[in-house]
């Protein structure tokens, strides 16, 4: 994991901050996400049908996106921060399916860093890759606020 001082961030714009560890997408995780969101579409939770028609069940796109904070914590930690806030996403694309049993990881590139109302506003390109596949599962431009302290 990379440690970065908050004051260093402007000098890192345009650079990759790092790559996370691999994380296996299990059917249990998919089922729990389906229960949490009410999205029980068969492509995610009907193992028999999804295996027959698609080769395996697939993870929800929003499940994959929701992994950004989990995967990010293994990439970089910021020093000199009192709190961080998820401010949203500018753009999200789901560009590939994630079959249950596949492993994913995330690359983070710092696209922009500006001071806004007493906080550093970061725009990161988060690319979630699927092991063994050329096309990523998700590319998201996330926006975060980090407050000094």
């Amino acid at each position: 994991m990379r440690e970065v001082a908050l004051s260093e961030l402007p000098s890192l714009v345009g650079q990759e901050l790092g790559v996370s560890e691999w994380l296996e997408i299990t059917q249990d995780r998919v089922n729990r996400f389906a229960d949490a969101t009410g999205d029980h579409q068969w492509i995610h939770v009907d193992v028999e049908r999804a295996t027959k028609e698609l080769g395996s069940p697939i993870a929800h796109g929003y499940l994959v996106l929701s992994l950004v904070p989990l995967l990010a914590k293994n990439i970089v930690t910021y020093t000199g921060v009192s709190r961080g806030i998820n401010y949203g996403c500018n753009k999200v694309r789901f560009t590939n399916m994630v079959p249950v049993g596949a492993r994913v990881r995330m690359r983070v590139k710092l696209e922009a860093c500006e001071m806004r109302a007493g906080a550093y506003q970061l725009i990161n390109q988060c690319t979630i890759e699927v092991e063994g596949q050329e096309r990523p599962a998700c590319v998201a431009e996330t926006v975060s606020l980090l407050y000094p302290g």
Side-chain angles (χ1 to χ4, degrees):
M1 179 182 328
R2 182 176 186 177
E3 188 173 288
V4 175
L6 192 56
S7 60
E8 265 184 80
L9 282 170
S11 70
L12 298 176
V13 171
Q15 295 183 32
E16 183 175 280
L17 298 178
V19 182
S20 75
E21 302 283 328
W22 290 105
L23 174 72
E24 182 179 355
I25 302 302
T26 64
Q27 187 64 52
D28 180 61
R29 184 182 294 270
V30 170
N31 292 345
R32 287 185 288 130
F33 188 84
D35 289 343
T37 62
D39 181 355
H40 292 93
Q41 188 178 172
W42 67 267
I43 63 175
H44 307 303
V45 298
D46 186 335
V47 174
E48 185 178 321
R49 181 177 176 191
T51 300
K52 181 180 176 185
E53 294 187 33
L54 302 171
S56 76
I58 61 170
H60 305 74
Y62 284 113
L63 166 58
V64 175
L65 179 63
S66 76
L67 296 173
V68 167
L70 174 65
L71 296 171
K73 75 177 187 177
N74 296 314
I75 296 173
V76 62
T77 185
Y78 302 106
T79 60
V81 175
S82 66
R83 69 186 182 279
I85 296 175
N86 172 4
Y87 197 62
C89 296
N90 289 335
K91 182 178 179 180
V92 176
R93 294 293 180 263
F94 302 112
T95 56
N96 199 356
M97 294 184 294
V98 179
V100 168
R103 296 191 326 158
V104 297
R105 70 177 179 187
M106 183 172 71
R107 294 184 178 279
V108 176
K109 179 180 178 185
L110 181 59
E111 295 286 333
C113 177
E114 297 179 7
M115 285 299 293
R116 296 268 171 127
Y120 286 83
Q121 178 179 288
L122 309 183
I123 298 177
N124 285 308
Q125 179 180 331
C126 299
T127 304
I128 300 178
E129 304 171 334
V130 182
E131 187 174 40
Q133 296 192 25
E134 188 174 315
R135 198 172 55 191
C138 178
V139 180
E141 188 177 272
T142 63
V143 184
S144 308
L145 298 174
L146 299 179
Y147 290 86

